[in-house]
Amino acid sequence: GENVEQHPSTLSVQEGDSAVIKCTYSDSASNYFPWYKQELGKGPQLIIDIRSNVGEKKDQRIAVTLNKTAKHFSLHITETQPEDSAVYFCAASFSGGDKVIFGPGTSLSVIP
Amino acid sequence: GAVVSQHPSWVICKSGTSVKIECRSLDFQATTMFWYRQFPKQSLMLMATSNEGSKATYEQGVEKDKFLINHASLTLSTLTVTSAHPEDSSFYICSATLQGGENIQYFGAGTRLSVL
C-alpha cells in the first residue's frame, strides 16, 4: 500500500521568510496530492492540491511542486505570516480509489 | 461550498456509555464519507470508509462492533462509539467526497471525545 513520508516534523521561520515542506510517496499509481492545514482543535482544511499531469501549481503565496519520477512533492509558502502557523499534512491517493494516505505532519511556527 | 458539519464538537461521557457523532455534508451529496481518529500531535488515522446504503469498510485493527458506522443518506453518516472507555478518548474527524467529484475530501471540524 501507499506510504507517505514528510519532512521536517517541525519548522520555525521568521515572519516574511519562506517555508518548504517535503513529502515522498511510495506507490507510483498515486496521482492526486492534496495539502491540508490543520489549526489546533480544528479539522484539516484543504489549501492546495496537484494532480500528476502537472508539475507545479501556485495559488497566491502557496505553491506545490511534483516530481513523479522521484515520487516526491513539496509545499512552498512565501512571505510567511503568523497566521500560517499550523500543522500541515501532505497526502497521496489514486483518484480512481477512495483512500487518501496522509503524511505524519509538519508543525510550522512563524515567528513575528 | 463543500461544507461538512460535524456534531458535537466536544463530548464528555462516562465509561461504559455510548456516544454518537454525526457528520453531515451541508451543500453537496457525498458519495463516500470517511472517519478518522487523531491522537495528539499525530497524523490522521483512517478508521473506516462508508458509502451510502452499504456497510462500512473498516481498516485493519479497527473493531467494527466498537465503532458502529451508519451512512443512511447521501448527506449523513454517524459514528457510534459503543461502551466507551478512557482509551477511546481522542479527536474524531469525518470527511466527505463530492458525488461526481474528483476524490477531494472535505473535512468536518472534528469531535473531541473524553471518556471519564
Side-chain angles (χ1 to χ4, degrees), chain B residues 30-79:
Chain B
T31 308
T32 306
M33 288 186 171
F34 303 85
W35 288 96
Y36 295 84
R37 184 173 182 176
Q38 187 178 34
F39 292 105
K41 298 186 178 181
Q42 293 192 21
S43 189
L44 288 78
M45 291 173 41
L46 180 64
M47 299 174 65
T49 302
S50 74
N51 292 289
E52 182 261 342
S54 61
K55 290 184 178 181
T57 302
Y58 289 82
E59 294 299 301
Q60 191 173 10
V62 178
E63 299 175 59
K64 62 180 180 180
D65 295 330
K66 172 77 172 177
F67 300 99
L68 299 179
I69 292 172
N70 183 274
H71 194 159
S73 76
L74 282 171
T75 60
L76 174 64
S77 176
T78 61
L79 167 68

Side-chain angles (χ1 to χ4, degrees), chain A residues 76-103:
Chain A
H76 303 253
I77 306 174
T78 59
E79 300 174 29
T80 54
Q81 301 167 4
E83 51 266 38
D84 293 330
S85 296
V87 178
Y88 291 81
F89 293 98
C90 62
S93 79
F94 172 58
S95 63
D98 292 327
K99 291 184 185 180
V100 172
I101 306 301
F102 286 85

Side-chain angles (χ1 to χ4, degrees), chain B residues 12-24:
Chain B
I12 302 173
C13 70
K14 292 182 178 180
S15 184
T17 61
S18 294
V19 174
K20 180 183 283 188
I21 302 169
E22 291 189 350
C23 181
R24 294 180 184 271

Side-chain angles (χ1 to χ4, degrees), chain A:
Chain A
E2 177 63 275
N3 181 54
V4 178
E5 296 185 353
Q6 183 172 349
H7 299 280
S9 57
T10 60
L11 178 61
S12 291
V13 298
Q14 289 293 134
E15 181 177 359
D17 287 350
S18 296
V20 180
I21 302 171
K22 298 182 179 181
C23 289
T24 60
Y25 61 100
S26 60
D27 190 346
S28 57
S30 291
N31 57 10
Y32 173 63
F33 308 93
W35 285 88
Y36 288 90
K37 175 184 180 182
Q38 186 178 28
E39 297 177 343
L40 191 62
K42 298 183 179 180
Q45 178 186 10
L46 179 69
I47 56 172
I48 195 167
D49 57 12
I50 190 168
R51 297 186 186 272
S52 59
N53 57 344
V54 297
E56 184 175 357
K57 183 176 180 181
K58 189 173 182 180
D59 182 6
Q60 298 182 353
R61 296 187 296 111
I62 297 173
V64 58
T65 58
L66 171 65
N67 183 327
K68 280 190 63 179
T69 303
K71 288 189 282 189
H72 64 69
F73 55 115
S74 301
L75 177 72
H76 303 253
I77 306 174
T78 59
E79 300 174 29
T80 54
Q81 301 167 4
E83 51 266 38
D84 293 330
S85 296
V87 178
Y88 291 81
F89 293 98
C90 62
S93 79
F94 172 58
S95 63
D98 292 327
K99 291 184 185 180
V100 172
I101 306 301
F102 286 85
T106 296
S107 178
L108 173 65
S109 298
V110 180
I111 304 165

